[in-house]
Amino acid sequence: MKIQNLLLCATACASLTSCFKEEPLNAECDIEQAYVHADDPTEIFFAASDTLVNVLSDATDVVFEIKEGADVSAMSPKFNITDGATIEPASGSTHDFSGGKTVVYTVTSQDGQWTKAYNVSFKAVYPVSEYDFEHYNLVKGPNRGEIYAWTDLAADGSPLNNWATGNPGFNISMGSAAPDEYPTVPVADGHSGACVKLETKETGTFGEIMHMGIAAGNMFIGEFDVQPAISGGAEGAMRATLFGRPFDRQPLQFTGWYKYKSGGECIDGDMNPIPGTYDQGDIYAVLYRNHDDEGNPFVLHGDDVLNSPQIVAVARVPEVTDVDEWTEFNINFEYSEDIDPQLLADRGYNLTVVFTSSIEGATFKGAVGSTLHVDEVKVICAETTE
């Protein structure tokens, strides 16, 4: 429901400069935060901050990440929901979440006209470091129609939902596009099996009005929060990308296969040429500390993913320029500080892997038609001494 409200506001703001109309608040039915009390959080969670989950506006799964073997047979999660809404089962009620059990909570709007179901679980999640892009499906876009989404699989075959793209943002302006017309799509003839194709696209009239006339094909480990992408313009789009997931090994090398075709001279978000430029892609991986010096959770966004002081290591392909055949890359991680073994064991680091068809795509600069294919990517890590 929040997406519908934001779409109404964004559309009105694009056509009127003095006023806008919001959908009544009592039509909303969202979980905004989920949290749980634990006398000693470290018995169950890697960090005390893991007891709280901020729920993205288009999410339907709420996962508390826990330690292997933690007792979650009697947990009582509580929820912050939109004003006037109700939730069933009740917030704070106790349930057995052991063995990966999921409890479905249904939120009903104040006017009783809308409902939304959430799958809540407590799971031990094991990060993966090999990515073949074989597991994808169509999901509902925030506006209308369907978009592609990718996941890697855990050892038990369950989806990790660890990959995100900018496809939800493209869906806001180009909701009538077919799934295969989006910036990030699967292609059957990869280097081995399926691969990902990322292509810089025009975003239509709505995108031009918002000074975001193009959208680079992008894909990254992390989450995409469509809410700031809709309401915050170009700056909000930077905050929409939440890079990284907890990682428990020390990365050494970043490898994979790619091919690339530039669309030529770049344009900006207003569709104006940028003389003297020639578009190229970007491929990189970043390891960073996921809490700040005060112990607050931290995540990288589009404006600091390569320059935050929280970053401890980067592996970046030096130049992603025109190459017709599948080309292998093998890049060492360059460290700016030593790894803290205890912090690593406690999953105090996040890893993200990022691909984009336009290197300046985060600021809506690039060449329409620039196309990057990526396949068989690995993060090779130091052996553990467990």
Short mmCIF file of all heavy atoms in Angstrom, two decimals, residues 21-63:
data_model
loop_
_atom_site.label_atom_id
_atom_site.label_comp_id
_atom_site.label_asym_id
_atom_site.label_seq_id
_atom_site.Cartn_x
_atom_site.Cartn_y
_atom_site.Cartn_z
N LYS A 21 -2.17 15.25 -3.69
CA LYS A 21 -3.21 14.57 -2.93
C LYS A 21 -2.71 13.20 -2.53
O LYS A 21 -2.19 12.46 -3.35
CB LYS A 21 -4.47 14.43 -3.78
CG LYS A 21 -5.63 13.77 -3.04
CD LYS A 21 -6.86 13.68 -3.92
CE LYS A 21 -8.02 13.02 -3.18
NZ LYS A 21 -9.22 12.91 -4.03
N GLU A 22 -2.85 12.85 -1.27
CA GLU A 22 -2.41 11.57 -0.76
C GLU A 22 -3.60 10.64 -0.56
O GLU A 22 -4.70 11.08 -0.24
CB GLU A 22 -1.69 11.73 0.57
CG GLU A 22 -0.37 12.45 0.47
CD GLU A 22 0.34 12.44 1.80
OE1 GLU A 22 1.05 11.47 2.09
OE2 GLU A 22 0.16 13.40 2.56
N GLU A 23 -3.35 9.35 -0.79
CA GLU A 23 -4.36 8.36 -0.46
C GLU A 23 -4.56 8.35 1.05
O GLU A 23 -3.59 8.48 1.80
CB GLU A 23 -3.87 6.99 -0.94
CG GLU A 23 -4.88 5.88 -0.75
CD GLU A 23 -4.35 4.58 -1.30
OE1 GLU A 23 -3.84 4.57 -2.43
OE2 GLU A 23 -4.44 3.56 -0.58
N PRO A 24 -5.78 8.21 1.53
CA PRO A 24 -6.01 8.24 2.98
C PRO A 24 -5.16 7.21 3.70
O PRO A 24 -4.96 6.09 3.24
CB PRO A 24 -7.50 7.88 3.10
CG PRO A 24 -8.09 8.33 1.80
CD PRO A 24 -7.03 8.08 0.77
N LEU A 25 -4.65 7.60 4.87
CA LEU A 25 -3.74 6.76 5.64
C LEU A 25 -4.36 5.44 6.03
O LEU A 25 -3.69 4.42 6.10
CB LEU A 25 -3.28 7.52 6.89
CG LEU A 25 -2.23 6.85 7.76
CD1 LEU A 25 -0.95 6.65 6.97
CD2 LEU A 25 -1.97 7.68 9.00
N ASN A 26 -5.68 5.45 6.26
CA ASN A 26 -6.32 4.23 6.76
C ASN A 26 -6.43 3.13 5.72
O ASN A 26 -7.00 2.09 5.98
CB ASN A 26 -7.70 4.53 7.37
CG ASN A 26 -8.69 5.05 6.34
OD1 ASN A 26 -8.40 5.13 5.16
ND2 ASN A 26 -9.87 5.44 6.81
N ALA A 27 -5.90 3.33 4.53
CA ALA A 27 -5.87 2.27 3.53
C ALA A 27 -4.55 1.50 3.56
O ALA A 27 -4.38 0.54 2.81
CB ALA A 27 -6.10 2.84 2.14
N GLU A 28 -3.62 1.90 4.43
CA GLU A 28 -2.32 1.23 4.47
C GLU A 28 -2.36 -0.01 5.36
O GLU A 28 -3.10 -0.05 6.36
CB GLU A 28 -1.25 2.19 4.98
CG GLU A 28 -1.01 3.37 4.04
CD GLU A 28 0.07 4.30 4.54
OE1 GLU A 28 0.54 4.10 5.68
OE2 GLU A 28 0.44 5.22 3.80
N CYS A 29 -1.55 -0.99 5.00
CA CYS A 29 -1.53 -2.25 5.78
C CYS A 29 -0.14 -2.88 5.69
O CYS A 29 0.02 -3.96 5.14
CB CYS A 29 -2.60 -3.22 5.28
SG CYS A 29 -2.56 -3.54 3.50
N ASP A 30 0.85 -2.19 6.25
CA ASP A 30 2.23 -2.63 6.13
C ASP A 30 2.88 -2.86 7.49
O ASP A 30 2.62 -2.13 8.46
CB ASP A 30 3.06 -1.57 5.40
CG ASP A 30 2.54 -1.30 4.01
OD1 ASP A 30 2.75 -2.14 3.13
OD2 ASP A 30 1.91 -0.24 3.80
N ILE A 31 3.76 -3.86 7.55
CA ILE A 31 4.72 -3.96 8.65
C ILE A 31 5.91 -3.08 8.30
O ILE A 31 6.49 -3.22 7.23
CB ILE A 31 5.17 -5.42 8.87
CG1 ILE A 31 4.01 -6.28 9.37
CG2 ILE A 31 6.33 -5.47 9.87
CD1 ILE A 31 4.38 -7.76 9.55
N GLU A 32 6.27 -2.17 9.19
CA GLU A 32 7.40 -1.28 8.95
C GLU A 32 8.66 -1.76 9.66
O GLU A 32 9.77 -1.61 9.15
CB GLU A 32 7.04 0.14 9.38
CG GLU A 32 5.87 0.71 8.57
CD GLU A 32 5.43 2.07 9.05
OE1 GLU A 32 5.71 2.40 10.22
OE2 GLU A 32 4.81 2.80 8.26
N GLN A 33 8.48 -2.35 10.85
CA GLN A 33 9.59 -2.92 11.60
C GLN A 33 9.12 -4.16 12.34
O GLN A 33 7.96 -4.25 12.76
CB GLN A 33 10.15 -1.92 12.61
CG GLN A 33 10.94 -0.77 12.02
CD GLN A 33 11.48 0.14 13.11
OE1 GLN A 33 10.81 0.40 14.10
NE2 GLN A 33 12.72 0.60 12.93
N ALA A 34 10.03 -5.11 12.48
CA ALA A 34 9.78 -6.28 13.32
C ALA A 34 10.93 -6.37 14.32
O ALA A 34 12.09 -6.13 13.97
CB ALA A 34 9.73 -7.55 12.46
N TYR A 35 10.60 -6.70 15.56
CA TYR A 35 11.65 -6.77 16.57
C TYR A 35 11.27 -7.80 17.64
O TYR A 35 10.11 -8.20 17.77
CB TYR A 35 11.89 -5.39 17.22
CG TYR A 35 10.68 -4.77 17.88
CD1 TYR A 35 10.50 -4.85 19.26
CD2 TYR A 35 9.72 -4.08 17.13
CE1 TYR A 35 9.40 -4.28 19.88
CE2 TYR A 35 8.62 -3.50 17.74
CZ TYR A 35 8.46 -3.60 19.11
OH TYR A 35 7.36 -3.04 19.71
N VAL A 36 12.29 -8.23 18.37
CA VAL A 36 12.08 -9.25 19.38
C VAL A 36 12.98 -8.95 20.58
O VAL A 36 14.10 -8.44 20.41
CB VAL A 36 12.36 -10.66 18.81
CG1 VAL A 36 13.82 -10.81 18.43
CG2 VAL A 36 11.94 -11.75 19.78
N HIS A 37 12.50 -9.25 21.76
CA HIS A 37 13.30 -9.07 22.97
C HIS A 37 14.02 -10.37 23.31
O HIS A 37 13.46 -11.46 23.21
CB HIS A 37 12.43 -8.66 24.15
CG HIS A 37 13.17 -8.69 25.46
ND1 HIS A 37 14.07 -7.71 25.82
CD2 HIS A 37 13.17 -9.61 26.48
CE1 HIS A 37 14.58 -7.99 26.99
NE2 HIS A 37 14.06 -9.14 27.42
N ALA A 38 15.29 -10.24 23.69
CA ALA A 38 16.05 -11.39 24.19
C ALA A 38 16.90 -10.91 25.36
O ALA A 38 17.57 -9.88 25.26
CB ALA A 38 16.93 -11.97 23.09
N ASP A 39 16.85 -11.63 26.48
CA ASP A 39 17.63 -11.24 27.67
C ASP A 39 19.11 -11.15 27.34
O ASP A 39 19.80 -10.22 27.77
CB ASP A 39 17.40 -12.24 28.81
CG ASP A 39 15.98 -12.15 29.36
OD1 ASP A 39 15.36 -11.07 29.25
OD2 ASP A 39 15.49 -13.16 29.87
N ASP A 40 19.62 -12.11 26.57
CA ASP A 40 21.00 -12.09 26.10
C ASP A 40 20.96 -12.30 24.59
O ASP A 40 20.96 -13.44 24.11
CB ASP A 40 21.83 -13.17 26.77
CG ASP A 40 23.29 -13.13 26.33
OD1 ASP A 40 23.65 -12.25 25.51
OD2 ASP A 40 24.07 -13.98 26.81
N PRO A 41 20.91 -11.22 23.80
CA PRO A 41 20.79 -11.37 22.34
C PRO A 41 21.87 -12.23 21.72
O PRO A 41 21.64 -12.91 20.71
CB PRO A 41 20.86 -9.93 21.84
CG PRO A 41 20.43 -9.09 22.99
CD PRO A 41 20.93 -9.81 24.20
N THR A 42 23.09 -12.23 22.30
CA THR A 42 24.19 -12.96 21.69
C THR A 42 24.02 -14.48 21.77
O THR A 42 24.76 -15.22 21.11
CB THR A 42 25.53 -12.56 22.33
OG1 THR A 42 25.49 -12.85 23.74
CG2 THR A 42 25.80 -11.07 22.13
N GLU A 43 23.08 -14.97 22.59
CA GLU A 43 22.80 -16.40 22.61
C GLU A 43 22.09 -16.83 21.33
O GLU A 43 22.16 -18.00 20.93
CB GLU A 43 21.95 -16.76 23.82
CG GLU A 43 22.69 -16.66 25.15
CD GLU A 43 21.82 -17.12 26.31
OE1 GLU A 43 20.61 -17.37 26.08
OE2 GLU A 43 22.34 -17.25 27.43
N ILE A 44 21.38 -15.89 20.70
CA ILE A 44 20.57 -16.21 19.53
C ILE A 44 21.10 -15.54 18.27
O ILE A 44 21.16 -16.15 17.21
CB ILE A 44 19.10 -15.79 19.76
CG1 ILE A 44 18.52 -16.54 20.97
CG2 ILE A 44 18.25 -16.03 18.51
CD1 ILE A 44 17.13 -16.09 21.35
N PHE A 45 21.53 -14.28 18.42
CA PHE A 45 21.90 -13.45 17.27
C PHE A 45 23.40 -13.16 17.27
O PHE A 45 24.06 -13.22 18.30
CB PHE A 45 21.13 -12.13 17.31
CG PHE A 45 19.64 -12.30 17.35
CD1 PHE A 45 18.94 -12.28 18.56
CD2 PHE A 45 18.91 -12.48 16.18
CE1 PHE A 45 17.57 -12.44 18.59
CE2 PHE A 45 17.53 -12.64 16.20
CZ PHE A 45 16.86 -12.62 17.42
N PHE A 46 23.91 -12.80 16.11
CA PHE A 46 25.32 -12.41 16.00
C PHE A 46 25.57 -11.03 16.61
O PHE A 46 26.64 -10.75 17.13
CB PHE A 46 25.77 -12.43 14.54
CG PHE A 46 25.93 -13.81 13.99
CD1 PHE A 46 24.93 -14.38 13.21
CD2 PHE A 46 27.06 -14.56 14.26
CE1 PHE A 46 25.06 -15.67 12.70
CE2 PHE A 46 27.21 -15.85 13.75
CZ PHE A 46 26.21 -16.40 12.98
N ALA A 47 24.58 -10.14 16.53
CA ALA A 47 24.69 -8.79 17.08
C ALA A 47 23.35 -8.38 17.66
O ALA A 47 22.30 -8.84 17.20
CB ALA A 47 25.12 -7.79 16.00
N ALA A 48 23.39 -7.52 18.68
CA ALA A 48 22.15 -7.08 19.32
C ALA A 48 21.23 -6.39 18.31
O ALA A 48 20.00 -6.48 18.41
CB ALA A 48 22.47 -6.13 20.48
N SER A 49 21.82 -5.73 17.31
CA SER A 49 21.00 -5.03 16.31
C SER A 49 20.20 -5.99 15.43
O SER A 49 19.24 -5.59 14.77
CB SER A 49 21.88 -4.14 15.43
OG SER A 49 22.89 -4.91 14.79
N ASP A 50 20.59 -7.28 15.43
CA ASP A 50 19.86 -8.26 14.63
C ASP A 50 18.49 -8.58 15.21
O ASP A 50 17.69 -9.27 14.57
CB ASP A 50 20.66 -9.56 14.51
CG ASP A 50 21.94 -9.38 13.73
OD1 ASP A 50 22.04 -8.40 12.96
OD2 ASP A 50 22.86 -10.21 13.89
N THR A 51 18.20 -8.07 16.41
CA THR A 51 16.88 -8.28 16.99
C THR A 51 15.82 -7.40 16.35
O THR A 51 14.64 -7.54 16.65
CB THR A 51 16.90 -8.01 18.51
OG1 THR A 51 17.30 -6.64 18.73
CG2 THR A 51 17.87 -8.93 19.22
N LEU A 52 16.23 -6.48 15.49
CA LEU A 52 15.30 -5.59 14.80
C LEU A 52 15.50 -5.71 13.30
O LEU A 52 16.62 -5.69 12.82
CB LEU A 52 15.48 -4.14 15.25
CG LEU A 52 14.51 -3.12 14.66
CD1 LEU A 52 14.18 -2.03 15.67
CD2 LEU A 52 15.09 -2.46 13.39
N VAL A 53 14.39 -5.84 12.58
CA VAL A 53 14.43 -5.92 11.12
C VAL A 53 13.60 -4.77 10.55
O VAL A 53 12.40 -4.65 10.86
CB VAL A 53 13.86 -7.26 10.61
CG1 VAL A 53 13.84 -7.29 9.08
CG2 VAL A 53 14.67 -8.43 11.16
N ASN A 54 14.23 -3.91 9.76
CA ASN A 54 13.50 -2.89 9.03
C ASN A 54 12.93 -3.53 7.76
O ASN A 54 13.67 -4.10 6.97
CB ASN A 54 14.41 -1.72 8.67
CG ASN A 54 14.79 -0.91 9.89
OD1 ASN A 54 13.94 -0.48 10.67
ND2 ASN A 54 16.10 -0.71 10.08
N VAL A 55 11.63 -3.44 7.58
CA VAL A 55 10.94 -4.15 6.50
C VAL A 55 10.75 -3.19 5.32
O VAL A 55 10.11 -2.14 5.47
CB VAL A 55 9.59 -4.71 6.98
CG1 VAL A 55 8.93 -5.51 5.87
CG2 VAL A 55 9.79 -5.58 8.22
N LEU A 56 11.28 -3.55 4.17
CA LEU A 56 11.13 -2.72 2.99
C LEU A 56 9.68 -2.69 2.53
O LEU A 56 8.91 -3.61 2.78
CB LEU A 56 12.02 -3.23 1.86
CG LEU A 56 13.53 -3.27 2.15
CD1 LEU A 56 14.30 -3.63 0.89
CD2 LEU A 56 14.02 -1.93 2.69
N SER A 57 9.34 -1.61 1.84
CA SER A 57 7.94 -1.36 1.51
C SER A 57 7.31 -2.42 0.62
O SER A 57 6.09 -2.63 0.69
CB SER A 57 7.81 0.01 0.84
OG SER A 57 8.68 0.11 -0.26
N ASP A 58 8.11 -3.10 -0.21
CA ASP A 58 7.52 -4.11 -1.09
C ASP A 58 7.83 -5.53 -0.63
O ASP A 58 7.59 -6.49 -1.37
CB ASP A 58 8.01 -3.91 -2.53
CG ASP A 58 9.52 -4.00 -2.66
OD1 ASP A 58 10.21 -3.87 -1.63
OD2 ASP A 58 10.02 -4.19 -3.79
N ALA A 59 8.37 -5.69 0.58
CA ALA A 59 8.75 -7.02 1.07
C ALA A 59 7.54 -7.78 1.62
O ALA A 59 6.59 -7.19 2.14
CB ALA A 59 9.80 -6.89 2.16
N THR A 60 7.59 -9.09 1.52
CA THR A 60 6.58 -9.95 2.14
C THR A 60 7.22 -11.01 3.03
O THR A 60 6.51 -11.76 3.69
CB THR A 60 5.70 -10.64 1.08
OG1 THR A 60 6.54 -11.36 0.17
CG2 THR A 60 4.87 -9.62 0.32
N ASP A 61 8.56 -11.09 3.03
CA ASP A 61 9.29 -12.01 3.90
C ASP A 61 10.04 -11.21 4.96
O ASP A 61 10.73 -10.24 4.64
CB ASP A 61 10.29 -12.86 3.11
CG ASP A 61 9.60 -13.83 2.17
OD1 ASP A 61 8.53 -14.35 2.53
OD2 ASP A 61 10.13 -14.06 1.07
N VAL A 62 9.92 -11.62 6.21
CA VAL A 62 10.64 -11.00 7.32
C VAL A 62 11.49 -12.09 7.97
O VAL A 62 10.95 -13.03 8.56
CB VAL A 62 9.68 -10.38 8.35
CG1 VAL A 62 10.46 -9.76 9.50
CG2 VAL A 62 8.77 -9.35 7.69
N VAL A 63 12.81 -11.97 7.84
CA VAL A 63 13.72 -13.02 8.33
C VAL A 63 14.64 -12.44 9.40
O VAL A 63 15.38 -11.49 9.15
CB VAL A 63 14.56 -13.60 7.18
CG1 VAL A 63 15.50 -14.68 7.72
CG2 VAL A 63 13.66 -14.17 6.08
#
